[in-house]
Amino acid sequence: MEKTKTSQQLASKVFSSDFVKSLSASGKGHLTELSLTENRRNFLEEVKDELDSIQNSDPANNETLKLQKQLKSIEKQEISKEAFVLIRDLNLGKCSGKLKARVTYKSTTIDNKFWMDLLDEEGNECRMLFEEDPCFEYEDYVKASLIYTIQNFQVKKSFPGSNKQFFLNAINSTEVLECKGDKTIPRFKPGRLLTVKELEIISDSSKPIDILVKVVKQSAPQARFIKGEKCYVKDVWLIDPAGDKIKYTLWNEMIKKFDIADGSIVLCRSVKLANNSELRLVSTGDTAFITEGIDLHELWCDLKAKKKAF
């Protein structure tokens, strides 16, 4: 009897506290909103510890089991109500807010730096650079297709012509934490994918395009001198699901970024047509090579069966 009374007292403690802002219209102990008190998490942990103690001493106590179930709901609401900054709300300069986003693309590490593209819950995107110490700290931790919270970083305007509004720079105080089990950020879904035949009749060659291709073969990088400056160039031959081929020319740093084996299926995002009579792809500042996070093989087979982009 005393143990049941203890559970009831604990329930009263929860539902009469400042931690609870309101109950649902149906009431009866179901929480819908949480107050924004500073010690709400400490309170939640305290209640959970007390519940565990009661549960251990009386495993069959139905009141305790019921309250534990309700506290799980409270905990989920507490997590969901954590304030995150959205990409569209970023301001130029240092941001100490917390951004939650899915990594849709992560480049290879080149000269102590790597880039990643981020997608937030609204579907907005930005690119983020990690170099030197932040690169060393997170290059193995961050994985494409997973969701992370990112706090403390610099916000800059993207370069002219970019399809992303902001460019982020990691700093020494940047904190990145994986959101394990989090499904609040949608998975990246490619939009309009063009075929090689559609590229033949495209009207604006400067407009970035997305295309799903398979790597057929690659040339070795060749050195060239342009206006006295040494550059490197490499050609990659690609094939689309309809069986049509196209060449993709990579320059300098993009050669290292294209770390993809022959026979691989890759979604090339934000590439464009070369500005000449030859049908050939080149990179832009937003180019990304997606090999993870979506079922490329399934998408390839789907487009091959339809023989057209969706």
Side-chain angles (χ1 to χ4, degrees), residues 4-114:
T4 300
K5 182 179 178 182
T6 303
S7 296
Q8 292 172 342
Q9 288 174 339
L10 186 55
S12 176
K13 175 180 178 180
V14 173
F15 297 117
S16 65
S17 71
D18 290 337
F19 181 64
V20 178
K21 184 178 181 182
S22 65
L23 301 178
S24 63
S26 59
K28 312 303 181 185
H30 292 285
L31 290 159
T32 57
E33 294 184 48
L34 304 177
S35 66
L36 300 178
T37 56
E38 292 182 2
N39 62 345
R40 62 192 184 202
R41 296 224 171 163
N42 291 336
F43 177 87
L44 181 58
E45 290 300 322
E46 178 187 336
V47 173
K48 287 171 66 178
D49 289 343
E50 291 185 49
L51 266 178
D52 289 342
S53 177
I54 297 171
Q55 179 68 16
N56 290 335
S57 63
D58 186 9
N61 189 319
N62 290 331
E63 291 294 328
T64 304
L65 293 173
K66 181 180 178 181
L67 187 54
Q68 280 182 321
K69 186 176 181 180
Q70 292 177 355
L71 281 177
K72 286 183 179 179
S73 176
I74 296 174
E75 194 169 20
K76 287 182 179 179
Q77 291 185 57
E78 169 67 8
I79 293 172
S80 68
K81 284 186 175 288
E82 186 173 358
F84 296 106
V85 62
L86 295 169
I87 291 175
R88 63 175 168 83
D89 293 330
L90 291 173
N91 294 311
L92 301 182
K94 184 177 179 180
C95 177
S96 58
K98 189 178 290 186
L99 172 68
K100 182 162 73 169
R102 185 184 295 276
V103 176
T104 60
Y105 163 69
K106 177 177 178 284
S107 74
T108 55
T109 299
I110 303 170
D111 298 330
N112 300 329
K113 57 186 176 183
F114 71 87

